[in-house]
């Protein structure tokens, strides 16, 4: 069974999630934006073995700690989609602009594309490419756990910003309606910021996508 714990990190309170397979205790960390010692301590407290880094996209609050964590623990970096290459290249500038610790450069071990899968112990999650917030944004979906880790595509009561370079409002709405809603109203999603919600709840009440 897939289990997870969410640890808000960075001044932006970004929801970094530690996912693990409870049969093997093999774990991945999704979007390690910073505060790496806290994340490592959380994994140790859970008794899991960190084996992978998964990225939804390459904004500083989601990817700022990736290079250092990969180096410190010799972890592969999985994702995002190649459309976010320019955001990865710009991480040092992003860190300076927003007052983050210097971000180490990195090259993903594996780029992700729509329909790919990622494996964690005995668990397999599906990858959907969901551009709009960034061109290379992806989400991770577990059908068995009915959970989706959606980064900054969708929030409880809101949607991702599209005013950053490479953002596109129409693409974002298309990603939500075409890639998220088909995963089912009962699916609970873990956003990049703020509380969890379900796709069904957002379809009914989110003012940006209500009724879609």
């Amino acid at each position: 069974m897939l289990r997870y714990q969410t640890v808000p990190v960075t001044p932006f309170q970004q929801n970094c999630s530690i996912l693990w397979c409870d049969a093997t205790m093999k774990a991945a960390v999704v979007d390690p934006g910073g505060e790496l010692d806290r994340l490592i301590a959380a994994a140790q407290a859970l008794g899991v073995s960190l084996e992978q880094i998964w990225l939804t996209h390459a904004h500083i609050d989601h990817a700022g700690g990736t290079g250092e964590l990969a180096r410190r623990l010799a972890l592969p970096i999985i994702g995002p989609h190649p459309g976010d290459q320019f955001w990865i290249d710009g991480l040092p500038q992003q860190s300076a602009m927003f007052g983050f610790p210097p971000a180490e450069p990195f090259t993903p071990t594996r780029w992700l594309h729509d329909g790919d899968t990622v494996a964690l112990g005995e668990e397999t999650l599906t990858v959907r490419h969901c551009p709009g917030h960034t061109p290379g944004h992806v989400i991770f979906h577990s059908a068995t756990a009915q959970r989706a880790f959606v980064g900054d595509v969708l929030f409880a009561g809101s949607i991702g910003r599209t005013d950053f370079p490479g953002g596109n409002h129409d693409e974002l709405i298309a990603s939500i309606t075409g890639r998220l809603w088909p995963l089912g109203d009962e699916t609970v999603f873990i956003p990049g910021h703020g509380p969890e919600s379900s796709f069904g709840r957002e379809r009914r009440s989110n003012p940006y996508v209500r009724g879609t």
Side-chain angles (χ1 to χ4, degrees):
M1 182 175 177
L2 183 74
R3 304 279 300 278
Y4 67 95
Q5 182 177 96
T6 300
V7 183
V9 296
T10 83
F12 291 3
Q13 288 295 282
Q14 188 273 123
N15 288 332
C16 176
S17 294
I18 299 171
L19 282 62
W20 71 95
C21 163
D22 66 0
T24 63
M25 301 305 282
K26 294 181 178 180
V29 58
V30 180
D31 290 353
E35 299 186 60
L36 300 183
D37 289 340
R38 278 188 64 212
L39 295 176
I40 293 170
Q44 291 173 339
L46 292 166
V48 301
S49 173
L50 283 180
E51 299 205 343
Q52 303 174 54
I53 297 169
W54 296 353
L55 294 181
T56 64
H57 65 294
H59 282 165
I60 186 67
D61 53 325
H62 292 255
T66 299
E68 181 183 347
L69 185 62
R71 175 178 55 78
R72 284 171 61 175
L73 300 184
L75 301 179
I77 301 167
I78 313 299
H81 178 280
D84 268 17
Q85 177 71 67
F86 77 101
W87 279 114
I88 294 174
D89 294 342
L91 279 170
Q93 290 77 21
Q94 289 187 64
S95 63
M97 183 183 301
F98 291 105
F100 278 63
E104 293 187 14
F106 65 87
T107 300
T109 310
R110 175 190 170 197
W111 293 106
L112 294 174
H113 299 84
D114 190 62
D116 284 351
T117 59
V118 289
L120 189 60
E122 298 177 1
E123 300 295 322
T124 300
L125 290 83
T126 301
V127 175
R128 300 311 308 264
H129 179 214
C130 293
H133 179 64
T134 70
H137 202 302
V138 298
I139 67 103
F140 302 96
H141 173 240
S142 168
T144 55
Q146 290 190 312
R147 292 293 185 275
F149 300 83
V150 304
D152 287 355
V153 175
L154 180 69
F155 303 109
S158 188
I159 59 175
R161 291 176 60 171
T162 57
D163 58 334
F164 295 119
N168 184 297
H169 179 79
D170 290 342
E171 277 192 336
L172 183 69
I173 298 302
S175 291
I176 293 169
T177 59
R179 298 279 167 83
L180 298 189
W181 291 169
L183 301 180
D185 284 353
E186 300 77 20
T187 298
V188 172
F189 69 91
I190 297 83
H193 306 267
E196 297 180 5
S197 183
S198 70
F199 292 148
R201 182 182 303 161
E202 298 311 304
R203 289 181 72 170
R204 292 188 300 270
S205 64
N206 188 314
Y208 296 94
V209 287
R210 183 167 49 217
T212 57

